[in-house]
Each structure stands twice: as C-alpha cells, then as structure tokens.
Amino acid sequence: MADGTSRLAWADVAAQLRGRHLRLTPQRRAVVAALAEFEGHVTAAQIVERCLEEDADFVPSTVYRTLHLLEDLGLITHIHDADGREEFQPAAEAPHAHLICRECGTTREIGADELGDFLGLLHRRHGFDVDLSHLAIFGRCVGCTRG
Amino acid sequence: MADGTSRLAWADVAAQLRGRHLRLTPQRRAVVAALAEFEGHVTAAQIVERCLEEDADFVPSTVYRTLHLLEDLGLITHIHDADGREEFQPAAEAPHAHLICRECGTTREIGADELGDFLGLLHRRHGFDVDLSHLAIFGRCVGCTRG
DNA sequence: ATAGATGCAAAACCTTTGCAATCGC
DNA sequence: GCGATTGCAAAGGTTTTGCATCTAT
C-alpha cells in the first residue's frame, strides 16, 4: 500500500483459510475484526479485551492460536514492544518499520523508502536481509525532545 | 570504545553507587562480574545461572533488581530478544545496534558508522533520536541465506 | 545506627499446551 | 461424519513484589 496504512483484507483471510482446508469460525472472524479495528499495532491483550467485549465466552488461548495462525499464513506479523509483549500488525504490502518513543510510547510507521540505503548497506556489508516489519526502532520522538 | 566491544568498568559501577549512597554488595559484584564475563549480550537467565554457580544462595529477584538498578544508573541497557526476553549489555561508549537472525538466533553487533546516514536521516526527517543500543534488527544472516 | 539490600515465597504476567467436547465444512 | 477448532484448566516461563531479616557504610 502506498500510504503506509495496511489493512487486513477479508478476502485474503478467507482465501488463505479455504486454500488450506482451515475453517472460518466466529472466533477467527472476531480476531480479524479486532485487528482491522485498530488499524495498526495491537497488543495481544488488546485483541483479547476487544473480543471479550463482543462475546464473554472468548478465551485467550483461542486468540493467541488465531494470531499465530494468521502469522503463519503470512497475513500478520509481530514485534515485541518496549515491554517485551507481542504486538501484532497486518502484514503490509509495503513493509514498514516502527519508530517507538521510549518516553511517550508513541509509535510511528516509516516505509523502506525513508530508510535511505540502510537496507542495501546491511545487505552488501553483512549479507544481512532485514525483516523490515519486525524492525522496532526505539528512541525519542520530536515531541518529547522539544518538550 | 573504538572496537565496538564494550566493557562494564568497575570504577564506574563503584562511583555511581557511592555517589548515590547505594551499596556495593557481594551480590552486585557477582552480577557485574557475570556481565563482564559474557562481554556482550546476556539474558537475565544467563546471569542468574552464572551467579548460582558461584553461590548457590543466589536468588533471581536479586539479579533482576541489580540489573534494573544498573540500567537506572546508565551502566547497562537492555533490548528484548526474538522471544521477548530481556537481554542486557553494558552501555557501550560507542553504542551499537544488533543484527539478529530469526533463523539461527545469532546476534552480531554493528556500530553507528556502519549505519550510513540512517540516524541522521531519521533525525532530519522525523526529529527522531534513535537509541542505538536498543536497536534490534531482525532478519536473515548470511549463513542462513546461503545455507 | 540506619538506610539500603537480600532471601524467601508468593504472585503477577504473558503465553502455551493437553484433552474432551464441539462445530464448520 | 470427519477433522479442525474451541473451551477449559492447568502448566510454563519470566519478571515483580511484600516483608522480615540482615549488612554495608
């Protein structure tokens, strides 16, 4: 996607599941819906909470299983946030990294194009292929530096 | 440090502690010694294990408390590894980032000089000051790409 | 002496797992 | 119906916390 905002496409989820003889259950719908709602980086806990609002019978293990399934299907990815918790995001068609402010916790996306030759440099120099969607860059954001 | 290898200086630890009326206990010595031994990125669990070898009376909570204290003092920093566990390292005088292979788990250090204008770019473009020592870059290393 | 540290044990947290029951296909 | 999926409940692993005791300064 050009604008950096990635959405989890229903069609993709359905297609992937059917293609592998996996099932589209209400619980999975709910998790996907929750992911779509947040439109960005979500903690597993946030998904659990959202799903519980919808249906009190929801259970965390199902959420985790679903999230890991979606990840296996290549539909979402996860990074670990500043506190070490899993934070999921739709697998963007245009992969992007995250700038995470250690002071206010704000997360901001930046695309590969904003990294300059960073990726190429690491590849040439170390033969290292960066997994951009798992790249969490910690530091201080503008606001906190000025404030 | 110029060579990228950072050591935790005893003098710094002692100075910081005394300056704040904190105490240099045997347990703290042991943790610092363990950190020095590994000379790099260490898991909290590794420190605990090492300390237990020295003295069976060691207790994990003390290790965690000490590590967090050292971090507060600015002597060490930590990142979260691929599994979300805390991984500590001496606060390098020459800060460096880490290349972490998601396949084999190998970690490799790279200095600011190897990042090209990456840091400057983020600063100019987003006003974002990267905390280099918390930068964990995930991807595939040379070995795993070739293999 | 006295504030700071430790050990212990328990809890908090996040995540995973086994298994019988259930339900989508 | 069959096999995938769920709920439940329990366990696993990591990190934190309260409190009485101890100790470096």
Side-chain angles (χ1 to χ4, degrees):
Chain A
M1 247 169 240
D3 61 2
T5 306
S6 52
R7 277 192 161 283
L8 186 50
W10 259 112
D12 290 346
V13 177
Q16 284 284 344
L17 290 178
R18 230 172 309 153
R20 307 193 191 210
H21 304 287
L22 302 177
R23 292 165 191 176
L24 188 43
T25 64
Q27 291 85 343
R28 287 181 179 167
R29 282 174 198 281
V31 170
V32 172
L35 279 166
E37 229 172 79
F38 286 96
E39 284 189 26
H41 334 89
V42 210
T43 294
Q46 287 178 289
I47 301 280
V48 172
E49 190 184 7
R50 187 74 195 81
C51 289
L52 277 173
E53 287 172 22
E54 295 285 317
D55 180 348
D57 289 334
F58 239 94
V59 106
S61 56
T62 296
V63 173
Y64 281 101
R65 282 190 281 228
T66 300
L67 289 172
H68 292 327
L69 171 65
L70 292 175
E71 187 164 23
D72 284 346
L73 297 179
L75 298 169
I76 62 177
T77 60
H78 83 272
I79 58 179
H80 290 280
D81 68 14
D83 297 320
R85 286 172 209 127
E86 292 180 336
E87 192 170 292
F88 294 84
Q89 61 169 304
E93 284 151 52
H96 55 265
H98 298 92
L99 297 181
I100 305 176
C101 180
R102 292 173 67 76
E103 198 138 334
C104 64
T106 306
T107 295
R108 175 171 185 166
E109 299 182 1
I110 56 171
D113 51 315
E114 306 194 60
L115 295 176
D117 191 36
F118 180 52
L119 303 181
L121 193 78
L122 289 182
H123 186 73
R124 285 196 305 279
R125 219 152 150 164
H126 299 284
F128 194 88
D129 278 328
V130 176
D131 181 353
L132 200 57
S133 52
H134 282 256
L135 182 55
I137 304 170
F138 294 95
R140 285 189 113 215
C141 70
V142 208
C144 290
T145 300
R146 285 194 189 135
Chain B
M1 249 171 236
D3 61 2
T5 305
S6 52
R7 277 194 161 280
L8 187 50
W10 259 112
D12 291 346
V13 176
Q16 285 282 343
L17 290 178
R18 230 172 310 153
R20 308 193 190 209
H21 304 288
L22 302 177
R23 292 167 190 174
L24 188 43
T25 63
Q27 292 85 342
R28 288 182 179 165
R29 283 174 197 282
V31 169
V32 172
L35 279 166
E37 230 171 78
F38 286 96
E39 284 189 26
H41 334 88
V42 210
T43 294
Q46 288 178 288
I47 301 280
V48 171
E49 190 183 8
R50 188 72 194 83
C51 289
L52 277 174
E53 286 171 22
E54 295 286 316
D55 179 348
D57 290 334
F58 240 94
V59 105
S61 56
T62 297
V63 173
Y64 282 101
R65 282 190 281 229
T66 300
L67 290 171
H68 292 327
L69 171 66
L70 292 174
E71 187 164 23
D72 285 345
L73 296 180
L75 298 168
I76 62 177
T77 60
H78 83 273
I79 58 177
H80 290 279
D81 68 13
D83 297 320
R85 285 173 209 127
E86 293 179 335
E87 193 170 292
F88 294 85
Q89 62 169 303
E93 283 152 52
H96 55 264
H98 299 92
L99 298 180
I100 305 176
C101 179
R102 292 172 67 77
E103 199 139 331
C104 64
T106 305
T107 295
R108 175 171 184 165
E109 298 182 1
I110 56 172
D113 52 315
E114 305 194 61
L115 294 175
D117 191 37
F118 179 52
L119 304 180
L121 194 78
L122 289 181
H123 186 74
R124 285 196 305 278
R125 218 152 151 163
H126 298 284
F128 194 89
D129 277 329
V130 176
D131 181 354
L132 200 57
S133 52
H134 282 256
L135 183 54
I137 303 170
F138 294 95
R140 286 188 113 215
C141 71
V142 207
C144 291
T145 300
R146 285 196 189 133

mmCIF file with all atom_site columns, all heavy atoms in Angstrom, chain A residues 100-122:
data_model
loop_
_atom_site.group_PDB
_atom_site.id
_atom_site.type_symbol
_atom_site.label_atom_id
_atom_site.label_alt_id
_atom_site.label_comp_id
_atom_site.label_asym_id
_atom_site.label_entity_id
_atom_site.label_seq_id
_atom_site.pdbx_PDB_ins_code
_atom_site.Cartn_x
_atom_site.Cartn_y
_atom_site.Cartn_z
_atom_site.occupancy
_atom_site.B_iso_or_equiv
_atom_site.pdbx_formal_charge
_atom_site.auth_seq_id
_atom_site.auth_comp_id
_atom_site.auth_asym_id
_atom_site.auth_atom_id
_atom_site.pdbx_PDB_model_num
ATOM 1   N N   . ILE A 1 100 ? 9.532  3.942  17.748 1.00 0.00 ? 100 ILE A N   1
ATOM 2   C CA  . ILE A 1 100 ? 8.831  3.875  19.027 1.00 0.00 ? 100 ILE A CA  1
ATOM 3   C C   . ILE A 1 100 ? 9.507  4.784  20.043 1.00 0.00 ? 100 ILE A C   1
ATOM 4   O O   . ILE A 1 100 ? 10.688 4.616  20.351 1.00 0.00 ? 100 ILE A O   1
ATOM 5   C CB  . ILE A 1 100 ? 8.825  2.441  19.575 1.00 0.00 ? 100 ILE A CB  1
ATOM 6   C CG1 . ILE A 1 100 ? 8.229  1.495  18.535 1.00 0.00 ? 100 ILE A CG1 1
ATOM 7   C CG2 . ILE A 1 100 ? 8.042  2.374  20.884 1.00 0.00 ? 100 ILE A CG2 1
ATOM 8   C CD1 . ILE A 1 100 ? 8.261  0.040  18.934 1.00 0.00 ? 100 ILE A CD1 1
ATOM 9   N N   . CYS A 1 101 ? 8.773  5.743  20.549 1.00 0.00 ? 101 CYS A N   1
ATOM 10  C CA  . CYS A 1 101 ? 9.338  6.667  21.526 1.00 0.00 ? 101 CYS A CA  1
ATOM 11  C C   . CYS A 1 101 ? 9.333  6.022  22.904 1.00 0.00 ? 101 CYS A C   1
ATOM 12  O O   . CYS A 1 101 ? 8.295  5.588  23.395 1.00 0.00 ? 101 CYS A O   1
ATOM 13  C CB  . CYS A 1 101 ? 8.549  7.964  21.561 1.00 0.00 ? 101 CYS A CB  1
ATOM 14  S SG  . CYS A 1 101 ? 9.215  9.126  22.770 1.00 0.00 ? 101 CYS A SG  1
ATOM 15  N N   . ARG A 1 102 ? 10.501 5.960  23.505 1.00 0.00 ? 102 ARG A N   1
ATOM 16  C CA  . ARG A 1 102 ? 10.618 5.323  24.815 1.00 0.00 ? 102 ARG A CA  1
ATOM 17  C C   . ARG A 1 102 ? 10.042 6.200  25.912 1.00 0.00 ? 102 ARG A C   1
ATOM 18  O O   . ARG A 1 102 ? 9.902  5.764  27.047 1.00 0.00 ? 102 ARG A O   1
ATOM 19  C CB  . ARG A 1 102 ? 12.078 5.025  25.136 1.00 0.00 ? 102 ARG A CB  1
ATOM 20  C CG  . ARG A 1 102 ? 12.672 3.953  24.239 1.00 0.00 ? 102 ARG A CG  1
ATOM 21  C CD  . ARG A 1 102 ? 14.156 3.812  24.477 1.00 0.00 ? 102 ARG A CD  1
ATOM 22  N NE  . ARG A 1 102 ? 14.457 3.288  25.795 1.00 0.00 ? 102 ARG A NE  1
ATOM 23  C CZ  . ARG A 1 102 ? 14.323 2.024  26.141 1.00 0.00 ? 102 ARG A CZ  1
ATOM 24  N NH1 . ARG A 1 102 ? 13.881 1.158  25.269 1.00 0.00 ? 102 ARG A NH1 1
ATOM 25  N NH2 . ARG A 1 102 ? 14.630 1.636  27.349 1.00 0.00 ? 102 ARG A NH2 1
ATOM 26  N N   . GLU A 1 103 ? 9.748  7.428  25.572 1.00 0.00 ? 103 GLU A N   1
ATOM 27  C CA  . GLU A 1 103 ? 9.250  8.334  26.595 1.00 0.00 ? 103 GLU A CA  1
ATOM 28  C C   . GLU A 1 103 ? 7.724  8.338  26.633 1.00 0.00 ? 103 GLU A C   1
ATOM 29  O O   . GLU A 1 103 ? 7.120  8.100  27.664 1.00 0.00 ? 103 GLU A O   1
ATOM 30  C CB  . GLU A 1 103 ? 9.776  9.743  26.331 1.00 0.00 ? 103 GLU A CB  1
ATOM 31  C CG  . GLU A 1 103 ? 9.676  10.618 27.552 1.00 0.00 ? 103 GLU A CG  1
ATOM 32  C CD  . GLU A 1 103 ? 10.928 11.454 27.718 1.00 0.00 ? 103 GLU A CD  1
ATOM 33  O OE1 . GLU A 1 103 ? 12.003 11.030 27.243 1.00 0.00 ? 103 GLU A OE1 1
ATOM 34  O OE2 . GLU A 1 103 ? 10.818 12.546 28.319 1.00 0.00 ? 103 GLU A OE2 1
ATOM 35  N N   . CYS A 1 104 ? 7.120  8.579  25.484 1.00 0.00 ? 104 CYS A N   1
ATOM 36  C CA  . CYS A 1 104 ? 5.659  8.669  25.475 1.00 0.00 ? 104 CYS A CA  1
ATOM 37  C C   . CYS A 1 104 ? 5.012  7.427  24.876 1.00 0.00 ? 104 CYS A C   1
ATOM 38  O O   . CYS A 1 104 ? 3.802  7.275  24.916 1.00 0.00 ? 104 CYS A O   1
ATOM 39  C CB  . CYS A 1 104 ? 5.204  9.907  24.710 1.00 0.00 ? 104 CYS A CB  1
ATOM 40  S SG  . CYS A 1 104 ? 5.630  9.908  22.961 1.00 0.00 ? 104 CYS A SG  1
ATOM 41  N N   . GLY A 1 105 ? 5.817  6.538  24.320 1.00 0.00 ? 105 GLY A N   1
ATOM 42  C CA  . GLY A 1 105 ? 5.268  5.281  23.816 1.00 0.00 ? 105 GLY A CA  1
ATOM 43  C C   . GLY A 1 105 ? 4.644  5.359  22.438 1.00 0.00 ? 105 GLY A C   1
ATOM 44  O O   . GLY A 1 105 ? 4.201  4.351  21.900 1.00 0.00 ? 105 GLY A O   1
ATOM 45  N N   . THR A 1 106 ? 4.633  6.535  21.863 1.00 0.00 ? 106 THR A N   1
ATOM 46  C CA  . THR A 1 106 ? 4.053  6.704  20.530 1.00 0.00 ? 106 THR A CA  1
ATOM 47  C C   . THR A 1 106 ? 4.776  5.860  19.477 1.00 0.00 ? 106 THR A C   1
ATOM 48  O O   . THR A 1 106 ? 5.990  5.750  19.494 1.00 0.00 ? 106 THR A O   1
ATOM 49  C CB  . THR A 1 106 ? 4.153  8.179  20.093 1.00 0.00 ? 106 THR A CB  1
ATOM 50  O OG1 . THR A 1 106 ? 3.560  8.987  21.101 1.00 0.00 ? 106 THR A OG1 1
ATOM 51  C CG2 . THR A 1 106 ? 3.453  8.391  18.765 1.00 0.00 ? 106 THR A CG2 1
ATOM 52  N N   . THR A 1 107 ? 3.993  5.272  18.610 1.00 0.00 ? 107 THR A N   1
ATOM 53  C CA  . THR A 1 107 ? 4.581  4.517  17.511 1.00 0.00 ? 107 THR A CA  1
ATOM 54  C C   . THR A 1 107 ? 4.260  5.195  16.193 1.00 0.00 ? 107 THR A C   1
ATOM 55  O O   . THR A 1 107 ? 3.168  5.687  15.989 1.00 0.00 ? 107 THR A O   1
ATOM 56  C CB  . THR A 1 107 ? 4.008  3.091  17.471 1.00 0.00 ? 107 THR A CB  1
ATOM 57  O OG1 . THR A 1 107 ? 4.398  2.389  18.639 1.00 0.00 ? 107 THR A OG1 1
ATOM 58  C CG2 . THR A 1 107 ? 4.543  2.341  16.267 1.00 0.00 ? 107 THR A CG2 1
ATOM 59  N N   . ARG A 1 108 ? 5.237  5.213  15.347 1.00 0.00 ? 108 ARG A N   1
ATOM 60  C CA  . ARG A 1 108 ? 5.047  5.838  14.048 1.00 0.00 ? 108 ARG A CA  1
ATOM 61  C C   . ARG A 1 108 ? 5.648  4.941  12.981 1.00 0.00 ? 108 ARG A C   1
ATOM 62  O O   . ARG A 1 108 ? 6.698  4.360  13.185 1.00 0.00 ? 108 ARG A O   1
ATOM 63  C CB  . ARG A 1 108 ? 5.770  7.188  14.083 1.00 0.00 ? 108 ARG A CB  1
ATOM 64  C CG  . ARG A 1 108 ? 5.763  7.901  12.774 1.00 0.00 ? 108 ARG A CG  1
ATOM 65  C CD  . ARG A 1 108 ? 6.300  9.301  12.994 1.00 0.00 ? 108 ARG A CD  1
ATOM 66  N NE  . ARG A 1 108 ? 6.190  10.050 11.754 1.00 0.00 ? 108 ARG A NE  1
ATOM 67  C CZ  . ARG A 1 108 ? 6.317  11.370 11.694 1.00 0.00 ? 108 ARG A CZ  1
ATOM 68  N NH1 . ARG A 1 108 ? 6.550  12.045 12.800 1.00 0.00 ? 108 ARG A NH1 1
ATOM 69  N NH2 . ARG A 1 108 ? 6.219  11.995 10.556 1.00 0.00 ? 108 ARG A NH2 1
ATOM 70  N N   . GLU A 1 109 ? 4.969  4.846  11.859 1.00 0.00 ? 109 GLU A N   1
ATOM 71  C CA  . GLU A 1 109 ? 5.460  3.977  10.799 1.00 0.00 ? 109 GLU A CA  1
ATOM 72  C C   . GLU A 1 109 ? 6.362  4.721  9.829  1.00 0.00 ? 109 GLU A C   1
ATOM 73  O O   . GLU A 1 109 ? 6.097  5.875  9.511  1.00 0.00 ? 109 GLU A O   1
ATOM 74  C CB  . GLU A 1 109 ? 4.285  3.407  10.005 1.00 0.00 ? 109 GLU A CB  1
ATOM 75  C CG  . GLU A 1 109 ? 3.335  2.562  10.823 1.00 0.00 ? 109 GLU A CG  1
ATOM 76  C CD  . GLU A 1 109 ? 2.221  1.996  9.965  1.00 0.00 ? 109 GLU A CD  1
ATOM 77  O OE1 . GLU A 1 109 ? 2.206  2.259  8.748  1.00 0.00 ? 109 GLU A OE1 1
ATOM 78  O OE2 . GLU A 1 109 ? 1.361  1.300  10.522 1.00 0.00 ? 109 GLU A OE2 1
ATOM 79  N N   . ILE A 1 110 ? 7.379  4.031  9.370  1.00 0.00 ? 110 ILE A N   1
ATOM 80  C CA  . ILE A 1 110 ? 8.152  4.605  8.274  1.00 0.00 ? 110 ILE A CA  1
ATOM 81  C C   . ILE A 1 110 ? 8.416  3.525  7.241  1.00 0.00 ? 110 ILE A C   1
ATOM 82  O O   . ILE A 1 110 ? 8.664  2.368  7.573  1.00 0.00 ? 110 ILE A O   1
ATOM 83  C CB  . ILE A 1 110 ? 9.494  5.212  8.732  1.00 0.00 ? 110 ILE A CB  1
ATOM 84  C CG1 . ILE A 1 110 ? 10.317 4.160  9.472  1.00 0.00 ? 110 ILE A CG1 1
ATOM 85  C CG2 . ILE A 1 110 ? 9.285  6.401  9.633  1.00 0.00 ? 110 ILE A CG2 1
ATOM 86  C CD1 . ILE A 1 110 ? 11.727 4.620  9.747  1.00 0.00 ? 110 ILE A CD1 1
ATOM 87  N N   . GLY A 1 111 ? 8.309  3.902  6.014  1.00 0.00 ? 111 GLY A N   1
ATOM 88  C CA  . GLY A 1 111 ? 8.466  2.955  4.922  1.00 0.00 ? 111 GLY A CA  1
ATOM 89  C C   . GLY A 1 111 ? 9.922  2.742  4.550  1.00 0.00 ? 111 GLY A C   1
ATOM 90  O O   . GLY A 1 111 ? 10.805 3.454  5.013  1.00 0.00 ? 111 GLY A O   1
ATOM 91  N N   . ALA A 1 112 ? 10.146 1.730  3.726  1.00 0.00 ? 112 ALA A N   1
ATOM 92  C CA  . ALA A 1 112 ? 11.504 1.398  3.305  1.00 0.00 ? 112 ALA A CA  1
ATOM 93  C C   . ALA A 1 112 ? 12.164 2.590  2.605  1.00 0.00 ? 112 ALA A C   1
ATOM 94  O O   . ALA A 1 112 ? 13.367 2.800  2.738  1.00 0.00 ? 112 ALA A O   1
ATOM 95  C CB  . ALA A 1 112 ? 11.471 0.190  2.374  1.00 0.00 ? 112 ALA A CB  1
ATOM 96  N N   . ASP A 1 113 ? 11.346 3.362  1.929  1.00 0.00 ? 113 ASP A N   1
ATOM 97  C CA  . ASP A 1 113 ? 11.879 4.498  1.180  1.00 0.00 ? 113 ASP A CA  1
ATOM 98  C C   . ASP A 1 113 ? 12.449 5.570  2.104  1.00 0.00 ? 113 ASP A C   1
ATOM 99  O O   . ASP A 1 113 ? 13.257 6.387  1.695  1.00 0.00 ? 113 ASP A O   1
ATOM 100 C CB  . ASP A 1 113 ? 10.770 5.115  0.315  1.00 0.00 ? 113 ASP A CB  1
ATOM 101 C CG  . ASP A 1 113 ? 9.529  5.404  1.149  1.00 0.00 ? 113 ASP A CG  1
ATOM 102 O OD1 . ASP A 1 113 ? 9.136  4.533  1.937  1.00 0.00 ? 113 ASP A OD1 1
ATOM 103 O OD2 . ASP A 1 113 ? 8.971  6.511  1.012  1.00 0.00 ? 113 ASP A OD2 1
ATOM 104 N N   . GLU A 1 114 ? 12.027 5.531  3.354  1.00 0.00 ? 114 GLU A N   1
ATOM 105 C CA  . GLU A 1 114 ? 12.516 6.549  4.289  1.00 0.00 ? 114 GLU A CA  1
ATOM 106 C C   . GLU A 1 114 ? 13.761 6.091  5.035  1.00 0.00 ? 114 GLU A C   1
ATOM 107 O O   . GLU A 1 114 ? 14.230 6.768  5.931  1.00 0.00 ? 114 GLU A O   1
ATOM 108 C CB  . GLU A 1 114 ? 11.421 6.915  5.291  1.00 0.00 ? 114 GLU A CB  1
ATOM 109 C CG  . GLU A 1 114 ? 10.130 7.332  4.605  1.00 0.00 ? 114 GLU A CG  1
ATOM 110 C CD  . GLU A 1 114 ? 9.176  8.006  5.577  1.00 0.00 ? 114 GLU A CD  1
ATOM 111 O OE1 . GLU A 1 114 ? 9.573  9.042  6.134  1.00 0.00 ? 114 GLU A OE1 1
ATOM 112 O OE2 . GLU A 1 114 ? 8.067  7.481  5.764  1.00 0.00 ? 114 GLU A OE2 1
ATOM 113 N N   . LEU A 1 115 ? 14.241 4.928  4.675  1.00 0.00 ? 115 LEU A N   1
ATOM 114 C CA  . LEU A 1 115 ? 15.411 4.400  5.369  1.00 0.00 ? 115 LEU A CA  1
ATOM 115 C C   . LEU A 1 115 ? 16.692 4.644  4.592  1.00 0.00 ? 115 LEU A C   1
ATOM 116 O O   . LEU A 1 115 ? 17.763 4.204  4.983  1.00 0.00 ? 115 LEU A O   1
ATOM 117 C CB  . LEU A 1 115 ? 15.241 2.900  5.617  1.00 0.00 ? 115 LEU A CB  1
ATOM 118 C CG  . LEU A 1 115 ? 14.095 2.533  6.563  1.00 0.00 ? 115 LEU A CG  1
ATOM 119 C CD1 . LEU A 1 115 ? 13.950 1.024  6.651  1.00 0.00 ? 115 LEU A CD1 1
ATOM 120 C CD2 . LEU A 1 115 ? 14.360 3.112  7.941  1.00 0.00 ? 115 LEU A CD2 1
ATOM 121 N N   . GLY A 1 116 ? 16.538 5.332  3.480  1.00 0.00 ? 116 GLY A N   1
ATOM 122 C CA  . GLY A 1 116 ? 17.719 5.589  2.675  1.00 0.00 ? 116 GLY A CA  1
ATOM 123 C C   . GLY A 1 116 ? 18.306 4.277  2.205  1.00 0.00 ? 116 GLY A C   1
ATOM 124 O O   . GLY A 1 116 ? 17.583 3.334  1.894  1.00 0.00 ? 116 GLY A O   1
ATOM 125 N N   . ASP A 1 117 ? 19.610 4.202  2.202  1.00 0.00 ? 117 ASP A N   1
ATOM 126 C CA  . ASP A 1 117 ? 20.246 2.992  1.695  1.00 0.00 ? 117 ASP A CA  1
ATOM 127 C C   . ASP A 1 117 ? 20.558 2.014  2.823  1.00 0.00 ? 117 ASP A C   1
ATOM 128 O O   . ASP A 1 117 ? 21.361 1.105  2.680  1.00 0.00 ? 117 ASP A O   1
ATOM 129 C CB  . ASP A 1 117 ? 21.534 3.346  0.954  1.00 0.00 ? 117 ASP A CB  1
ATOM 130 C CG  . ASP A 1 117 ? 22.052 2.132  0.197  1.00 0.00 ? 117 ASP A CG  1
ATOM 131 O OD1 . ASP A 1 117 ? 21.205 1.367  -0.316 1.00 0.00 ? 117 ASP A OD1 1
ATOM 132 O OD2 . ASP A 1 117 ? 23.275 1.944  0.155  1.00 0.00 ? 117 ASP A OD2 1
ATOM 133 N N   . PHE A 1 118 ? 19.901 2.236  3.927  1.00 0.00 ? 118 PHE A N   1
ATOM 134 C CA  . PHE A 1 118 ? 20.156 1.423  5.111  1.00 0.00 ? 118 PHE A CA  1
ATOM 135 C C   . PHE A 1 118 ? 20.108 -0.077 4.818  1.00 0.00 ? 118 PHE A C   1
ATOM 136 O O   . PHE A 1 118 ? 21.043 -0.820 5.133  1.00 0.00 ? 118 PHE A O   1
ATOM 137 C CB  . PHE A 1 118 ? 19.102 1.789  6.153  1.00 0.00 ? 118 PHE A CB  1
ATOM 138 C CG  . PHE A 1 118 ? 19.227 1.045  7.436  1.00 0.00 ? 118 PHE A CG  1
ATOM 139 C CD1 . PHE A 1 118 ? 20.436 1.016  8.117  1.00 0.00 ? 118 PHE A CD1 1
ATOM 140 C CD2 . PHE A 1 118 ? 18.129 0.399  7.973  1.00 0.00 ? 118 PHE A CD2 1
ATOM 141 C CE1 . PHE A 1 118 ? 20.538 0.340  9.325  1.00 0.00 ? 118 PHE A CE1 1
ATOM 142 C CE2 . PHE A 1 118 ? 18.233 -0.276 9.172  1.00 0.00 ? 118 PHE A CE2 1
ATOM 143 C CZ  . PHE A 1 118 ? 19.431 -0.302 9.847  1.00 0.00 ? 118 PHE A CZ  1
ATOM 144 N N   . LEU A 1 119 ? 19.025 -0.505 4.194  1.00 0.00 ? 119 LEU A N   1
ATOM 145 C CA  . LEU A 1 119 ? 18.849 -1.934 3.931  1.00 0.00 ? 119 LEU A CA  1
ATOM 146 C C   . LEU A 1 119 ? 19.910 -2.471 2.973  1.00 0.00 ? 119 LEU A C   1
ATOM 147 O O   . LEU A 1 119 ? 20.486 -3.528 3.193  1.00 0.00 ? 119 LEU A O   1
ATOM 148 C CB  . LEU A 1 119 ? 17.447 -2.183 3.367  1.00 0.00 ? 119 LEU A CB  1
ATOM 149 C CG  . LEU A 1 119 ? 16.307 -1.682 4.262  1.00 0.00 ? 119 LEU A CG  1
ATOM 150 C CD1 . LEU A 1 119 ? 14.962 -2.002 3.633  1.00 0.00 ? 119 LEU A CD1 1
ATOM 151 C CD2 . LEU A 1 119 ? 16.417 -2.287 5.643  1.00 0.00 ? 119 LEU A CD2 1
ATOM 152 N N   . GLY A 1 120 ? 20.152 -1.689 1.929  1.00 0.00 ? 120 GLY A N   1
ATOM 153 C CA  . GLY A 1 120 ? 21.149 -2.103 0.954  1.00 0.00 ? 120 GLY A CA  1
ATOM 154 C C   . GLY A 1 120 ? 22.531 -2.216 1.578  1.00 0.00 ? 120 GLY A C   1
ATOM 155 O O   . GLY A 1 120 ? 23.286 -3.144 1.311  1.00 0.00 ? 120 GLY A O   1
ATOM 156 N N   . LEU A 1 121 ? 22.808 -1.269 2.460  1.00 0.00 ? 121 LEU A N   1
ATOM 157 C CA  . LEU A 1 121 ? 24.108 -1.243 3.123  1.00 0.00 ? 121 LEU A CA  1
ATOM 158 C C   . LEU A 1 121 ? 24.324 -2.506 3.954  1.00 0.00 ? 121 LEU A C   1
ATOM 159 O O   . LEU A 1 121 ? 25.376 -3.145 3.890  1.00 0.00 ? 121 LEU A O   1
ATOM 160 C CB  . LEU A 1 121 ? 24.162 -0.020 4.046  1.00 0.00 ? 121 LEU A CB  1
ATOM 161 C CG  . LEU A 1 121 ? 25.532 0.357  4.584  1.00 0.00 ? 121 LEU A CG  1
ATOM 162 C CD1 . LEU A 1 121 ? 26.314 1.076  3.494  1.00 0.00 ? 121 LEU A CD1 1
ATOM 163 C CD2 . LEU A 1 121 ? 25.392 1.251  5.807  1.00 0.00 ? 121 LEU A CD2 1
ATOM 164 N N   . LEU A 1 122 ? 23.306 -2.860 4.726  1.00 0.00 ? 122 LEU A N   1
ATOM 165 C CA  . LEU A 1 122 ? 23.433 -4.046 5.577  1.00 0.00 ? 122 LEU A CA  1
ATOM 166 C C   . LEU A 1 122 ? 23.575 -5.306 4.726  1.00 0.00 ? 122 LEU A C   1
ATOM 167 O O   . LEU A 1 122 ? 24.273 -6.241 5.091  1.00 0.00 ? 122 LEU A O   1
ATOM 168 C CB  . LEU A 1 122 ? 22.220 -4.173 6.496  1.00 0.00 ? 122 LEU A CB  1
ATOM 169 C CG  . LEU A 1 122 ? 22.148 -3.143 7.616  1.00 0.00 ? 122 LEU A CG  1
ATOM 170 C CD1 . LEU A 1 122 ? 20.938 -3.412 8.479  1.00 0.00 ? 122 LEU A CD1 1
ATOM 171 C CD2 . LEU A 1 122 ? 23.417 -3.184 8.454  1.00 0.00 ? 122 LEU A CD2 1
#
